[in-house]
Structures are given as structure tokens and as C-alpha cells.
Amino acid sequence: MREQAHTLPSGTLTAQRRRVRTGSGGFGRHFLVAALLPAIILVVWQWAGSTGRVSPLLLPSPLAIGEAFVRLSLSGELFIQLWHSLVRASTGVFYGSLAALLLGGIVGLSRTVRKLVDPSLQLLRLTPSLATAPIIILWFGFGETSKIVIIGFGAFFPLYMSMVQSILGVDSKLTEVTRVLAFGRGKQLTRLVLPAALPGILSGLRLSIAYGWLGLVVAELLGSQSGIGYLMSHAQTNSQPEVIFVGVIIFAVMGKLIDLFVVTIERRLLRWRDSFTGN
């Protein structure tokens, strides 16, 4: 019996080669290369701290930071303060994003509203958060409300800008098609505008969460009785630099994990786009 040769499309072969190259061996090599520089930095850092070449009050050694992390974790204080920060950040980002979606949608859909509202918002957008934070505290006090407003203020503008630009960027030819098909305003919005604007909206949401997380740092460092920022401020008062570094690392790691979570949702929602490959 004669065997038949089965050929695969070039695109399939390319994909298979890519999977082979990025297999377990490729991932291991990539990880080793990526971890090389941080490992060297940690070794030199620990050597400088152990030999007394750097004052521990200015730059505590990695081992001291690790011991502080373990101590705070075992006492439960780290997780309690982290929970306060996550709840605070989630609340601020939620309200800021909700306001951005509503106002951004109205501004993007209405030329009249855009001319009236957008110039003032653009001016406010260019104002640094550190400049507005004292005003917000002056108006709302040092309580929880001011912190939520600071976080929401930081989260508002990235999503607002993405919302407006995504709506304005919808292809006018597709709009004409919906008019020919006699789509009403609501149907045009749900069938065309929102699906076409969804990639930009999700990108804006990703930035919104990132800026809201940065707003959390500002809010908690300016004055708070709970949260990772409070933990860092308390450590500064008591000359515990290793705890300050623990707080910085927690802020960085949680920010990255939150960003990865948003990217995962973005990939799932945009599977229908052939051009989308994730970031």
C-alpha cells in the first residue's frame, strides 16, 4: 500500500516551529537570561550591606528586607494593611471608571457636549495629582472619602480619553451602513459603536487601573490610618527602612498582578479580533 504525503500549510508549519522554539527549554533560557541582572544586583546589594559599605538606614540589605517581610506576614499585619489598600483602590477605581464611561460616552456621542465639556476636562487632566491632592483633602478632610476621590481622580482621565477617542474613531462607513439598515440610535450604539470601541475602552481601563493604583500611593502617603502606605509612613517615623522597602515591593508586585489580570480579561473579550495578540 502506497503512503500518501500530507503537507501542511506554511502558516501551520511556522506556528509549530514557534511553539517548539518557545517550549519548556526556550522558556527556561529566557527566564535565566531575564533573572541574571536582578540576581547580580541582589548579590552586590547584599555584599555592600554585609560589609558595611552602605548604611542600613539608607539601604537595608535584601536579607533584612526579607526578614521584615516574613515578620510582617507571620504577624498578619501585612495582609491586613494590604486588604485595606485593595478595598480602597477598588472603590476609587470603580467610581472613577464609572464616571469616565458615562461622561466619556456622552462627550463622544454628542458634538455639542464635547465642545462645552471637553476643553475644561483637558485642562484638568493636565493638572498633576500631587497638586490636586491637597485641595481634595482640604474639601473632604483626611477621612476615607478624600482618599477615594484622589484614587478616582487618577483613574478617571485615562479611561475618559480612551472612551472618547474610541467612539470618535468608529469607521464612518460602518455608520452609514447602519443608517441604510435603518438602525435606531440605541441599536446603532449597541451593535456598532460599543463593539468597535471595545478594544480602546479596555486599553483605557488598563491604564485607569494603573493610574488609580498610583493614586492610592499618593492618598495613603499623604495621611492614612490603614493600608500599605500607612505601613510605610509608620516605618519612616520609627526608622525602619526595611519595612519601607517591603511596602515598595508590595506596591510593585500587586500592580503587576492587577495588570496581568486585566490583560487576561482583555484577551478573552477580544478573541474575535484577528489582529489582537495581547500585550
Side-chain angles (χ1 to χ4, degrees):
M1 183 176 178
R2 187 174 60 186
E3 295 183 357
Q4 296 179 347
H6 297 278
T7 61
L8 294 174
S10 59
T12 305
L13 289 173
T14 302
Q16 287 182 348
R17 293 192 191 103
R18 187 181 298 113
R19 283 194 293 269
V20 170
R21 286 198 302 268
T22 58
S24 58
F27 175 79
R29 286 193 297 272
H30 176 73
F31 177 80
L32 289 176
V33 172
L36 181 61
L37 180 59
I40 294 174
I41 293 175
L42 287 175
V43 170
V44 175
W45 183 359
Q46 181 62 42
W47 170 80
S50 301
T51 57
R53 296 179 181 272
V54 179
S55 172
L57 293 177
L58 296 177
L59 188 65
S61 67
L63 286 179
I65 296 172
E67 290 173 358
F69 177 81
V70 172
R71 183 178 71 253
L72 292 171
S73 299
L74 292 177
S75 67
E77 184 178 4
L78 180 63
F79 301 107
I80 294 173
Q81 304 302 341
L82 178 59
W83 172 253
H84 286 300
S85 292
L86 289 174
V87 171
R88 188 174 290 135
S90 301
T91 306
V93 169
F94 172 77
Y95 286 116
S97 300
L98 182 62
L101 289 173
L102 294 176
L103 190 56
I106 296 172
V107 170
L109 294 171
S110 174
R111 184 179 303 175
T112 303
V113 177
R114 185 161 60 251
K115 290 180 178 180
L116 290 173
V117 176
D118 191 61
S120 299
L121 288 178
Q122 293 300 330
L123 181 64
L124 191 60
R125 179 178 69 88
L126 297 174
T127 306
S129 299
L130 285 174
T132 57
I135 298 176
I136 293 174
I137 293 175
L138 178 65
W139 288 347
F140 297 97
F142 282 94
E144 198 67 23
T145 303
S146 62
K147 297 173 182 57
I148 300 300
V149 173
I150 292 173
I151 298 168
F153 183 83
F156 173 83
F157 287 102
L159 185 54
Y160 166 80
M161 291 294 297
S162 297
M163 186 74 177
V164 173
Q165 294 302 321
S166 297
I167 292 176
L168 295 178
V170 175
D171 194 342
S172 59
K173 294 179 181 179
L174 296 178
T175 306
E176 292 297 330
V177 171
T178 59
R179 290 175 181 170
V180 172
L181 295 175
F183 279 15
R185 187 66 170 172
K187 196 173 183 180
Q188 186 184 50
L189 180 64
T190 55
R191 296 289 184 87
L192 171 63
V193 176
L194 290 180
L198 184 61
I201 293 173
L202 290 176
S203 296
L205 179 62
R206 184 178 175 185
L207 286 174
S208 179
I209 293 175
Y211 277 84
W213 190 249
L214 293 176
L216 170 71
V217 178
V218 174
E220 290 189 343
L221 289 178
L222 285 179
S224 179
Q225 297 300 316
S226 62
I228 299 298
Y230 162 76
L231 194 66
M232 295 171 65
S233 298
H234 184 72
Q236 182 182 15
T237 304
N238 291 276
S239 300
Q240 296 175 317
E242 66 279 2
V243 177
I244 298 177
F245 274 83
V246 170
V248 172
I249 294 171
I250 291 297
F251 273 130
V253 171
M254 290 305 303
K256 182 59 177 178
L257 291 176
I258 293 171
D259 185 67
L260 289 175
F261 175 72
V262 177
V263 170
T264 302
I265 296 177
E266 193 175 3
R267 287 199 184 104
R268 291 183 178 274
L269 292 178
L270 298 181
R271 282 179 177 176
W272 53 273
R273 293 189 69 207
D274 294 334
S275 61
F276 182 77
T277 57
N279 295 322

